[in-house]
Amino acid sequence: MSRVLLIVLDSVGIGAAPDAADFGDAGADTLGHIAEACARGDGDRAGLRAGALRLPHLAGLGLGLAAEAATGRMPPGLAPSGPVEGAWGHAVESARGKDTVSGHWEIAGVPVDFSWGNFPATRPAFPPALTRALIAEAGLPGILGDCHASGTAIIEELGAEHVRTGRPICYTSVDSVFQIAAHEEAFGLERLYALCAVARRLCDPYRIGRVIARPFTGDEASGFTRTANRRDYAVPPAGDTLLDRLAAAGRPVVSVGKIGDIFAHRATGREVKPGGNDACLTAALAALAGMAEGGLVFANLVEFDTEYGHRRDVPGYAAALERFDARVPEIRAALAPDDLCLVTADHGNDPTAPGTDHTREQVPVLAFGPGVPPTALGRLAFADIGRMAERHLSLAVAGGGRLA
Ligand SMILES: O=P(O)(O)O[C@H]1O[C@H](CO)[C@@H](O)[C@H]1O
Ligand SMILES: [Mn+2]
Ligand SMILES: [Mn+2]
């Protein structure tokens, strides 16, 4: 038996999904547009990076071919220079959501078959009854925000007023989220977490996927900055996931980064949550090194999404992709002869698209390891990704997503 390393590059979409227009995302293409922007010289930033997008290792695993299969266009510079090493495909989501939770649950075999609740892009965004209940139950002097917002912009706008008044900043987006930003010292981190637990319960009747604590520090003079103490309060998956089946079979699991939060800490095994893509990848490789046969390391690299996709930062996103690419040889070296590594994504977040939200896209599926033959997998379902993992780990599994 062998191990599986499943890495989700959060938001690294490879082209519009067939139903992208229904989401206002016709033509979205996170990877393709970044590659095209870099080829034009629009991905340059002094001191960070310059020129064409260089992802030689990912291209060699079939990333460019997967993107070409998804869109009909090879992103500039992503054609493999030799034979592909592994299997590659592109996957389409069935759930009607372009959020992290829907994407990961479907990868793990539980497509969301209901509609998440969303708050409208009005002011107020939240139902007054919900706001009233939150204020009353948590003993707040009121709330600020109550609108759709970018999390970094709204703490700049309202951070000082929050510190002055003690009113937490509540905001949302097109995703099914109720986010609460509060100052770590002035409001208190534990108090923010307790407030989010109350909000979690109050949001349940509205079918809100996540309540998110967004602590920040700083002051008006020097500016406000979010800290690494973000905490997500998700609803548990609606059915048995890959993780539940592994737990039932007594298999070891290590969850890296946001995975624990996304699955509401159910069957997520040992959780490690260092900050940043590099630290998460390092932690995932360390977990794999100590992982017994038949186990899974499930990692999410969220920085692509939070730091660059939502911030519409093309050079930043390109540099993050190049940093991950540079570590692909390290990943490959960490794989034992029977191990399988799966690299995929949960949705898109095209940094060239209007607004600051996710984009409805197809995702790459790169499956590699010493024993994986070069294979074009074609068009897959998100659930095929988890199925590949389960099949590799010799769990009984029906359906598609066969590697060879
Ligand atoms: O702008 P920030 O606070 O990063 O918010 C983003 O983070 C949320 C959760 O991923 C998304 O719904 C999006 O709104
Ligand atoms: Mn995501
Ligand atoms: Mn996001």
Side-chain angles (χ1 to χ4, degrees):
M1 231 196 291
S2 50
R3 298 95 46 90
V4 170
L5 171 60
L6 171 51
I7 303 175
V8 177
L9 310 178
D10 201 300
S11 88
V12 181
I14 56 169
D19 58 0
D22 299 348
F23 293 76
D25 294 328
D29 186 353
T30 301
L31 179 70
H33 287 157
I34 293 169
E36 286 165 12
C38 290
R40 286 194 306 270
D42 291 339
D44 297 359
R45 178 173 298 150
L48 182 68
R49 69 168 309 285
L53 184 65
R54 280 178 296 274
L55 304 176
H57 301 110
L58 288 166
L61 294 171
L63 180 62
L65 291 168
E68 186 181 38
T71 65
R73 298 183 316 279
M74 173 64 75
L78 290 196
S81 58
V84 172
E85 301 184 68
W88 74 94
H90 54 112
V92 174
E93 184 168 10
S94 72
R96 300 280 305 163
K98 53 177 178 176
D99 59 279
T100 292
V101 173
S102 297
H104 282 75
W105 288 9
E106 190 159 332
I107 287 169
V110 181
V112 171
D113 61 0
F114 56 89
S115 297
W116 295 108
N118 291 95
F119 298 114
T122 53
R123 222 169 181 140
F126 304 122
L130 171 61
T131 305
R132 272 197 307 274
L134 187 66
I135 289 170
E137 289 203 30
L140 298 171
I143 65 166
L144 299 176
D146 206 345
C147 58
H148 279 228
S150 152
T152 46
I154 202 162
I155 60 172
E156 278 310 307
E157 184 192 333
L158 297 174
E161 189 179 350
H162 158 69
V163 170
R164 211 167 45 244
T165 62
R167 297 176 181 209
I169 303 166
C170 301
Y171 66 102
T172 186
S173 71
V174 294
D175 293 335
S176 186
V177 291
F178 186 100
Q179 308 209 68
I180 309 181
H183 197 281
E184 277 201 9
E185 293 92 41
F187 191 87
L189 186 59
E190 291 307 320
R191 194 169 155 227
L192 172 59
Y193 290 156
L195 173 60
C196 287
V198 173
R200 173 65 272 170
R201 178 167 43 77
L202 295 176
C203 283
D204 282 349
Y206 298 93
R207 289 172 289 102
I208 298 303
R210 276 179 301 165
V211 172
I212 311 180
R214 293 292 201 162
F216 61 95
T217 54
D219 55 37
E220 194 165 14
S222 53
F224 296 104
T225 320
R226 301 204 289 203
T227 74
N229 294 321
R230 164 184 174 160
R231 190 174 287 179
D232 294 45
Y233 299 73
V235 289
D240 274 358
T241 68
L242 156 70
L243 294 169
D244 295 306
R245 287 188 285 277
L246 284 165
R251 303 292 186 81
V253 169
V254 177
S255 296
V256 182
K258 281 176 61 167
I259 297 298
D261 286 333
I262 292 165
F263 290 92
H265 309 284
R266 195 178 81 201
T268 44
R270 181 166 71 84
E271 294 186 11
V272 282
K273 204 177 176 190
N277 282 358
D278 266 310
C280 280
L281 183 53
T282 300
L285 294 177
L288 186 68
M291 173 63 71
E293 302 244 308
L296 171 73
V297 178
F298 194 174
N300 169 285
L301 305 186
V302 77
E303 206 179 302
F304 297 111
D305 180 72
T306 53
E307 300 297 319
Y308 312 114
H310 285 297
R311 312 281 86 86
R312 295 301 188 251
D313 178 351
V314 171
Y317 208 136
L321 287 167
E322 288 169 338
R323 280 197 300 276
F324 179 77
D325 185 82
R327 297 192 67 184
V328 168
E330 201 186 327
I331 298 172
R332 298 182 56 164
L335 300 174
D338 288 332
D339 287 349
L340 171 67
C341 181
L342 293 163
V343 172
T344 187
D346 53 343
H347 50 75
N349 201 343
D350 184 342
T352 71
T356 62
D357 289 315
H358 296 167
T359 42
R360 176 75 164 178
E361 292 188 42
Q362 304 176 62
V363 300
V365 181
L366 307 180
F368 58 96
V372 181
T375 320
L377 297 169
R379 176 173 154 157
L380 303 166
F382 270 37
D384 288 329
I385 301 160
R387 283 192 199 110
M388 283 184 207
E390 293 193 46
R391 197 168 286 125
H392 195 79
L393 295 172
S394 305
L395 293 178
V397 55
R402 275 166 214 288
L403 269 178

